[in-house]
């Protein structure tokens, strides 16, 4: 199991982005969270297999063509306490 910290920048707030990310994370059986940030970007922490995380990120980007300007992905330590995927505020 791996974990990744992801920042989605662009026009990603107010368009259903977090709910779509939540649905995609469930589809790929990921744990973690997604939330809006004050600078207009969206932060996601995703935990699962590396392939499932990468596929989830691609599915999210494909769901918002023209909205996602930049995606920054960094590896982070996994946390066994994360047992589900949440939308946080």
């Amino acid at each position: 199991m791996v974990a990744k910290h992801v920042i989605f920048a662009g026009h990603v707030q107010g368009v259903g982005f977090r709910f779509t990310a939540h649905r995609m994370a469930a589809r790929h059986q990921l744990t973690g969270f997604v939330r809006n940030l004050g600078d207009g970007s969206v932060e996601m922490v995703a935990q699962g297999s590396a392939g499932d995380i990468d596929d989830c990120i691609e599915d999210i980007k494909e769901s918002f063509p023209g909205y996602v300007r930049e995606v920054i992905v960094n590896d982070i330590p996994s946390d066994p306490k994360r047992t589900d995927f949440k939308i946080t505020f």
Side-chain angles (χ1 to χ4, degrees), residues 69-89:
R69 185 183 77 246
E70 181 179 18
V71 180
I72 302 166
V73 181
N74 291 299
D75 294 329
I76 59 173
S78 60
D79 182 351
K81 295 177 188 167
R82 289 191 187 108
T83 59
D84 59 2
F85 195 92
K86 298 179 182 180
I87 297 173
T88 62
F89 301 92

Side-chain angles (χ1 to χ4, degrees), residues 24-76:
M24 297 300 176
R27 179 184 299 167
H28 293 285
Q29 300 178 344
L30 303 178
T31 61
F33 66 86
V34 63
R35 67 179 168 190
N36 287 343
L37 296 178
D39 66 358
S41 63
V42 173
E43 174 185 39
M44 181 172 82
V45 169
Q47 190 167 271
S49 77
D52 285 337
I53 294 171
D54 292 343
D55 290 347
C56 181
I57 292 168
E58 286 304 311
D59 287 349
I60 293 168
K61 287 172 28 180
E62 289 174 8
S63 295
F64 291 92
Y67 288 84
V68 178
R69 185 183 77 246
E70 181 179 18
V71 180
I72 302 166
V73 181
N74 291 299
D75 294 329
I76 59 173

